[in-house]
């Protein structure tokens, strides 16, 4: 296999380049990379790509029996469609749940400072992580009930 890759280099000569890294280019910190990954996760789960392609409205309107138009944040009965606000709200909750799991992992990891320095910090961070996950799960459940009203009814 290596002989196949060496065939172009028998005809061509590799240039002798001395490329140096610019002094202003530094490696980003772990928190900067994490923030970028979390922000991109937020945008992808919000459906930004869908919003750019389909261009849905920010919120919808619903007209009641008296002819009064009211704003609606969720597009009911449409699994494949969403308003922009609906995607952002759902993505906010997904990101909250993910942060809750990250807090729980970091708190229960053995070299964590919360275990060694204070027990109140350990219990507080565990409660915050658990609360974020629970709020995310139950609010997403409520959003799903608003999106598909008859979906959770038992036969």
């Amino acid at each position: 296999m290596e002989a196949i890759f060496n065939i172009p280099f028998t005809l061509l000569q590799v240039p002798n380049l001395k490329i140096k890294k610019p002094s202003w280019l530094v490696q980003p910190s772990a928190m900067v990379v994490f923030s970028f990954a979390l922000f991109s996760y937020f945008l992808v789960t919000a459906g930004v790509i869908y919003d750019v392609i389909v261009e849905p409205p920010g919120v919808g309107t619903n007209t009641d029996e008296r002819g009064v138009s009211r704003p609606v944040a969720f597009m009911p009965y449409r699994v494949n469609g969403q308003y922009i606000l609906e995607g952002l709200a759902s993505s906010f909750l997904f990101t909250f749940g993910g942060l809750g799991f990250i807090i729980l992992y970091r708190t229960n990891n053995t070299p964590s400072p919360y275990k060694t320095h204070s027990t109140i910090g350990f219990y507080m961070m565990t409660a915050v992580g658990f609360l974020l996950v629970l709020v995310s799960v139950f609010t997403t459940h409520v959003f799903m009930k608003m999106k598909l009203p008859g979906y959770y009814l038992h036969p």
Side-chain angles (χ1 to χ4, degrees):
M1 186 59 122
E2 192 171 332
I4 295 172
F5 289 126
N6 285 334
I7 291 173
F9 297 108
T10 58
L11 303 172
L12 302 171
Q13 184 179 6
V14 179
N16 189 11
L17 297 176
K18 303 281 189 205
I19 300 176
K20 292 181 0 182
K21 183 180 83 164
S23 60
W24 52 267
L25 185 65
V26 294
Q27 182 177 6
S29 68
M31 215 48 202
V32 169
V33 173
F34 171 73
S35 300
F36 178 73
L38 189 67
F39 183 68
S40 63
Y41 172 74
F42 175 80
L43 289 179
V44 167
T45 55
V48 171
I49 299 168
Y50 170 82
D51 293 341
V52 168
I53 294 171
V54 178
E55 297 179 3
V59 292
T61 56
N62 190 7
T63 308
D64 62 1
E65 62 274 354
R66 291 180 290 183
V68 178
S69 180
R70 300 182 189 271
V72 176
F74 289 89
M75 190 179 291
Y77 303 108
R78 296 246 349 249
V79 179
N80 295 337
Q82 71 177 19
Y83 297 127
I84 294 175
L85 185 64
E86 176 184 353
L88 291 176
S90 299
S91 178
F92 184 71
L93 289 173
F94 297 154
T95 306
F96 251 37
L99 283 176
F101 280 119
I102 290 171
I103 289 172
L104 286 174
Y105 172 76
R106 294 284 296 155
T107 304
N108 292 314
N109 204 2
T110 50
S112 176
Y114 300 112
K115 275 189 173 179
T116 57
H117 293 303
S118 68
T119 56
I120 189 71
F122 171 74
Y123 288 126
M124 188 182 306
M125 291 305 285
T126 303
V128 165
F130 194 65
L131 188 69
L132 284 176
V133 170
L134 282 180
V135 165
S136 173
V137 167
F138 288 125
T139 312
T140 305
H141 183 77
V142 169
F143 282 3
M144 194 65 189
K145 278 185 175 180
M146 291 165 57
K147 183 89 172 155
L148 297 171
Y151 185 70
Y152 285 118
L153 297 177
H154 298 289

